[in-house]
Amino acid sequence: MTPVELSRTVLCAVRRAVDVGALRVAVPARAVVAPPGPGGSGDYATNIALQLAKPSGRTPRYVAEVLREQLSAAPGVRGVEITGPGFLNISLDSAAPAALVREILTLGPRYGHSAALAGQVLSVRLPVAYEPRAEVVADALAAIVATQGARLRVHRGDGTNDADTLDLRTLPPAPGDPAPLGPDAARWALLHPAPHDRPRIGVEHLAQRESNPLFRVRYAYARTRALGRNAVDLGFTAYAGDVEVGVPAALLASLADHPRLLLGAATHRAPDRLARHLVTLADATLAFLPTVLPLGDEKPSAAHRARLALVEAAGTVLAGGLSLLGIDAPEYL
């Protein structure tokens, strides 16, 4: 179950509570679900009970109790706990992560692609003269919008912009020539910053250390590939089976959220969203890697195969995302 699907499940629980008369409130348009914060538990948490308490004339705890009863019976939900003033902490069936991993490994680099924008033409406007940042952003956008079935139209120079044309001429330009960084680091330096931020062009993009986001993303991918080779040496391969308790919620959330993120990056013509998403996924992947291989005299088990499948899925998404940004994903780093 993806975060989007879980959000719909939460809204369905609210609707059922209203239908049976346990709550008298308008069903909201959306329910925010996210990895649980400090003091939370489970795979995801939502503050929907706090959101509905005042309009329903009930305490957050009462609303949470009502919604817990409805949510606990939903398919794919293993359990629901209430923490704090009324946060709902939701644990999913272990089969749900397994299904997610199977989907990613089956689709490969096409995971997250859809026909959501099929037939649409999205427009951007570039300066007449070559400007590195605008050119690189437009190039990455062409690849990203294509994943959703759309096409990017590029205009140059002055002219009256229609309401749906993104003017890349307003992007703060690079303060220097990024070419000496090499093609991969140069593209990252121009694509990772938010549109209103001025890119930094410096050797920090080449540093092989944790402070360099590009290094973390590429290193995380290379480590997933190395673990696959090491597993073969130990006599086992990946299998997308049930993932036991202990998998970081942030890792599963980042993988499940990739299709929504990719659609958002295309719709808003914002490749920086994809770049930052890859950093979040890389950090969650790196935190999980030490648990994948057997330790000491431990024999490979079904749990190890499932963990390996999960990191291979993460590697697939990392490599696919880098490719859309026009950046190489090396297997050895």
Side-chain angles (χ1 to χ4, degrees):
M1 186 183 300
T2 68
V4 173
E5 292 168 337
L6 181 56
S7 176
R8 295 194 193 105
T9 299
V10 171
L11 292 178
C12 286
V14 175
R15 191 170 291 109
R16 287 195 300 271
V18 171
D19 290 342
V20 300
L23 288 177
R24 297 186 64 181
V25 68
V27 179
R30 62 191 297 262
V32 176
V33 297
S41 61
D43 299 304
Y44 294 98
T46 178
N47 67 348
I48 190 72
L50 283 74
Q51 178 184 340
L52 297 180
K54 185 175 181 179
S56 68
R58 297 286 189 169
T59 65
R61 188 78 187 190
Y62 174 87
V63 177
E65 292 284 1
V66 169
L67 295 182
R68 175 169 65 176
E69 180 179 354
Q70 298 294 336
L71 275 171
S72 296
V77 175
R78 186 174 72 248
V80 182
E81 294 183 8
I82 301 173
T83 59
F87 292 100
L88 291 164
N89 292 254
I90 305 167
S91 298
L92 302 178
D93 286 337
S94 61
L100 172 64
V101 170
R102 283 194 293 271
E103 179 183 3
I104 294 172
L105 295 180
T106 298
L107 294 175
R110 292 191 58 80
Y111 171 65
H113 293 208
S114 77
L117 304 179
Q120 295 189 32
V121 179
L122 308 181
S123 300
V124 296
R125 188 173 297 281
L126 295 177
V128 173
Y130 178 86
E131 197 289 305
R133 187 183 189 188
E135 299 287 345
V136 167
V137 168
D139 183 66
L141 281 176
I144 291 171
V145 301
T147 69
Q148 307 303 308
R151 180 171 63 86
L152 190 73
R153 176 184 292 140
V154 176
H155 305 279
R156 287 190 180 273
D158 297 327
T160 302
N161 290 341
D162 61 53
D164 196 40
T165 296
L166 178 67
D167 194 348
L168 297 181
R169 298 173 302 177
T170 64
L171 290 176
D177 182 9
L181 295 177
D184 292 326
R187 290 183 72 88
W188 181 268
L190 298 174
L191 292 171
H192 180 256
H196 57 272
D197 290 336
R198 184 176 294 275
R200 293 180 300 168
I201 305 300
V203 294
E204 66 269 19
H205 296 294
L206 301 175
Q208 296 196 23
R209 55 174 179 259
E210 290 185 0
S211 60
N212 179 3
L214 174 59
F215 171 72
R216 297 206 305 275
V217 174
R218 300 175 88 191
Y219 179 67
Y221 170 71
R223 289 291 298 131
T224 66
R225 302 300 296 159
L227 283 175
R229 296 190 295 269
N230 293 339
V232 170
D233 292 340
L234 293 174
F236 75 100
T237 56
Y239 176 75
D242 291 351
V243 183
E244 78 289 3
V245 176
V247 177
L251 175 54
L252 293 174
S254 294
L255 291 173
D257 206 33
H258 182 69
R260 183 195 65 82
L261 190 288
L262 203 54
L263 175 58
T267 302
H268 297 283
R269 283 155 287 185
D272 58 292
R273 294 189 179 195
L274 175 58
R276 290 195 296 273
H277 173 66
L278 295 180
V279 177
T280 299
L281 174 57
D283 290 342
T285 302
L286 289 169
F288 182 64
L289 294 182
T291 71
V292 174
L293 297 181
L295 300 176
D297 296 331
E298 187 180 11
K299 300 297 183 182
S301 66
H304 293 108
R305 298 180 68 195
R307 293 174 202 159
L308 181 61
L310 179 56
V311 300
E312 288 190 354
T316 297
V317 175
L318 289 169
L322 285 173
S323 177
L324 291 174
L325 297 178
I327 297 173
D328 182 48
E331 292 198 11
Y332 297 87
L333 193 62

